[in-house]
Amino acid sequence: MSPQTSRFYEFGRFRIDRAERVLTQEGEPLLLSPKLFDTLLLLVENSGHIVDKDRLMEELWPNTFVEEGNLTQNISVLRKLLGDGGGGQRFIQTVPRRGYRFVAPVKESFEPGADLIIEERLRTRIIEQEVETDGEIAADSGESPPVASVRRWQWSSKRSVLSIGFATLLVSALIVAWWALSHPSPSAAGAATFSVTNVTVRRLTNTGNVAGATLSPDGQFFLYNTSEDHNRTALWLRRLGSENAVQLVPPTSNKIWAISVAHSNNWVYYVASDPSDRDLTSGGTIYRISVLGGEPRKLTDRVHSDVTLSPDDQLMAFDRFNPTACDLIVANASDGSDERVIANSPSSRRFLHPQWSPDGSKILFFDIDQRQDGFYWSLAEIAPTGGAIREVLPPRKQRIWFMTWAADGKGIVMNATDPSTGQPQLYYVSYPDGRTERITNDFVYYNGASVGGNSIVTALKERPVNIWVTEWLAAGQGTPLLRGTSFINSVSWTPAGRLVFE
């Protein structure tokens, strides 16, 4: 197999690795969002020439209506990152009424690279099946955690007992990518078509302290919040395929939750609340921070839901609970101004977890209805300007935790409880017909769902557990029988000497 050639661009103290999509300064990698990298690369590859604004807008945001202010913001961030002095003319020059020109001398070089390795992904069909147990079993981790509590069952014929040890609940980030991500259809245009029969699963973190995760809209990087020492939380950013994470928000006493990324991939929105306000009576505060870090900007208070952004990043929507009502609000995404209530209800169980559609024409949410025979969950939508509400998924006795649009707007990824096992799983709901299919079909506890490109990121909850066999009254001297991260409710011996657990 012939070796591949890598192309590099060098200017000043900086170097661009085109293949790896990395910008370094004197050998140290710099953090750029994918859109910022694309902006810089386009200017550098056309160094010495004017790149019109129209061309920049078309190549950076193809087939998408985006205001020119997004391009201006990208150029401003790049100049700051490059330390551009002299009014911003040392690297990137503004050509009035035309566009921009990269004016620094650029040296282009090539280096032979390693042989091209094509990763072969196993094509696995997820089979839907009925499960008649209420047990909760997670994947084996191979870990052997310390024992927190012990329960015993005696098997009289061998006078042996079983010991089960549980450790602290662990949460890690997991990514689910469908087959078309690495095997796109030749006729596909844009995002590949989702298929629940072709998925691959990859663990992203192993720290065990991840509270939740969110993908960037283009699926190039993800953010996650962690539980730190002394009841503090922090916010991290990491590019997919990299092991290095950047801390955007250092550990804070406020609880960080509800993370969103702007479609420009330049801004991160999150909600932070007082940890003592467990019921979110006062709600949280929306903050906005650059993907490059810096000081978060406070936008608005008394927020009781995730923040969802319009496709052009000009508006945001969220819930606000009042003593007697729930308001679905749309506001300016840059500063939180111009709040407008587009729908309200006397119940706090409506308009939950709002999600703006990819085409900008509707906002999806779920409702909870309490009836004599229990609670029912349903999906519905409303226009961003308000008006009539349309049902997407009829009420049913299946708890909905989270949901989000697929990138093409033709479906919804839903995190909902499996009625058979009681474990939250991932589902795909076709839009607009509401046909529902399973994405996952196991005993794992999935917490949340975020879509970016052709991938889904979710948090995986695990509880490490060990089972030992030991002689009666000789606990602590037994032989390990099972090590893993299973949610086990009970264990017993069969007359044939086999172990049964659920």
Side-chain angles (χ1 to χ4, degrees), residues 66-83:
V66 177
E67 291 193 356
E68 192 177 303
N70 289 280
L71 175 60
T72 305
Q73 174 67 23
N74 276 10
I75 297 297
S76 175
V77 173
L78 284 174
R79 283 173 171 161
K80 180 180 178 181
L81 184 71
L82 298 175

Side-chain angles (χ1 to χ4, degrees), residues 171-198:
V171 186
S172 55
L174 193 75
I175 191 163
V176 180
W178 46 87
W179 178 261
L181 177 62
S182 57
H183 298 73
S185 168
S187 61
T193 303
F194 182 90
S195 173
V196 298
T197 63
N198 304 299

Side-chain angles (χ1 to χ4, degrees), residues 280-322:
L280 281 181
T281 303
S282 302
T285 300
I286 299 177
Y287 291 91
R288 186 175 82 154
I289 186 172
S290 168
V291 294
L292 298 177
E295 189 68 25
R297 179 180 180 180
K298 177 181 175 180
L299 300 185
T300 190
D301 288 315
R302 296 190 298 121
V303 175
H304 295 83
S305 74
D306 289 44
V307 180
T308 182
L309 297 163
S310 60
D312 61 3
D313 294 329
Q314 298 301 303
L315 299 173
M316 62 181 179
F318 55 88
D319 287 332
R320 176 173 291 150
F321 296 163
N322 298 307

Side-chain angles (χ1 to χ4, degrees), residues 31-36 70 73-81 221-223 235-238 246-250 259-262 264-270 286-299 333-334:
L31 176 66
L32 274 77
S33 71
K35 201 66 69 176
L36 279 175
N70 289 280
Q73 174 67 23
N74 276 10
I75 297 297
S76 175
V77 173
L78 284 174
R79 283 173 171 161
K80 180 180 178 181
L81 184 71
F221 63 93
F222 69 102
L223 293 108
L235 181 61
W236 302 80
L237 182 151
R238 202 177 96 188
V246 176
Q247 191 177 81
L248 284 185
V249 179
I259 309 165
S260 303
V261 183
S264 67
N265 297 300
N266 290 339
W267 298 100
V268 175
Y269 292 74
Y270 65 92
I286 299 177
Y287 291 91
R288 186 175 82 154
I289 186 172
S290 168
V291 294
L292 298 177
E295 189 68 25
R297 179 180 180 180
K298 177 181 175 180
L299 300 185
S334 62

Side-chain angles (χ1 to χ4, degrees), residues 231-248:
N231 295 319
R232 300 168 77 85
T233 59
L235 181 61
W236 302 80
L237 182 151
R238 202 177 96 188
R239 183 180 293 275
L240 288 180
S242 171
E243 297 298 323
N244 299 318
V246 176
Q247 191 177 81
L248 284 185

